[in-house]
Amino acid sequence: MIIRRVAVVGIVLAGMLALGGCDGSPAPAASTPPFASEEEAFAAAEETYRAYVDALNAERSKVQPARGSRDYLTGAALKEDLGTDDILAERGWTIIGESHITGFTGEKSTSNSVGALVCVDASATRVLDATGQDVTPPDRDVRTSLVVEFVPSESGLLIAHSAIAEESICE
Amino acid sequence: MRMIATALLAGVLLSPFAGGPAVAAASCGPKAQSAGLCSVSNSGSQVDVSGTQHQPAANPRPPSGDGPGGPSTPRDSADDCEGIECRGGYAVEGLPDVTLADLASFVPARPTLTGEPDGVGVVGMPTNLVARATEQRITGTLFDFDVVVRFVPTGFRFAYGDGASRTASTGGASWSALSQADFTPTPTSHVYERRGTFRASVTVLYSAAVDFGGGWRPVPGVVEATTSGYGIRVVEVHTALVVKTCIENPGGPGC
């Protein structure tokens, strides 16, 4: 155990020495997944979002997905999700039914983010209170265009931000 | 313009949360969308309420009243009009394809922060901080409709200035109000471990709700308001058993 730790320290030191030998400029980040093309980045983003919504739908039907819906979120999107869960818990609300993606349009792709417009249809979902009564807000927007930002991570793209879009792509 | 606004208002009244095509940057995901929580966003320090309405150009229905949008022209019936053409040589200008978005922002008041002893603390003994924040209802307008946002304080996060912090469910109260002896621990007090001058602050965590006239809707997350700058000089107090006062014996311990 001690030998291994010494070995690890040695490797780290060697790495630091190797970096020290450079001209001082920071090493380029190696974690960014290089997408060969914009289409590839958009395809990866769409796959991520569909997997996220699938996980969300599975959780609503009390099936624990292999990867929880929250595992697809980070940053502001994660914060928003936690806030929404707090409200749902406070109100004793449960969402049932499935959300559907009815449109996905890649917007822009850079080395560290992918942006897309997504149309999400919530018409098949209902909100139930603690007694099982339907308390679905009658005036909720069931077809919402969201502008979604994805960022790369070790486990693929993650949803970092999600907000109502200025432009609608919903039919 | 007034004509357009009039045409849109009813939609806003009936459906203040309708996203329609377009709106400001309200945070929203599929979960919040399903729960109807999408048109209200929380920036962390304020609540933004946004609304939007869309008036398509097809089949314009000019309102019957005359407004500043242009002179109305006689016509038999709105249904007879096709585009800008009307029978009988009269013309009604079609409304352009318009999307209106509006945003109202609401910021809760900052809490007040006091302490006791006033501005002073003693090393190793509780210093009592008291923050005050009350429920607030702030009225604004969105598309000329009243929107009320309610902020209810749900938590108080004290930062004592020495690196320590504590989150309490109340803002605390004075020792006398709590019927406690001075320098006794309270839910918001702090024991400073060293001498110095510290600047304490408090952040109130408000839960917010918004009402368009049809009842309160919760806003996800909390809205924070911070007051800082309550200075506390923390001193050491040593006690010694003496036989005479400092006047009587200026060379005595502590004199």
Side-chain angles (χ1 to χ4, degrees), chain B residues 28-61:
Chain B
C28 178
K31 203 181 282 179
Q33 177 203 19
S34 295
L37 300 171
C38 268
S39 74
V40 180
S41 65
N42 174 0
S43 73
S45 59
Q46 64 182 36
V47 168
D48 296 325
V49 183
S50 55
T52 184
Q53 278 301 308
H54 188 68
Q55 178 78 11
N59 292 325
R61 301 185 61 165

Side-chain angles (χ1 to χ4, degrees), chain A residues 81 120 139-140 144 162 164 166, chain B residues 22 26 28 31 33-34 217:
Chain A
D81 187 74
V120 181
D139 50 6
R140 68 176 178 169
T144 306
S162 175
I164 296 173
E166 288 180 9
Chain B
C28 178
K31 203 181 282 179
Q33 177 203 19
S34 295
R217 280 170 178 277

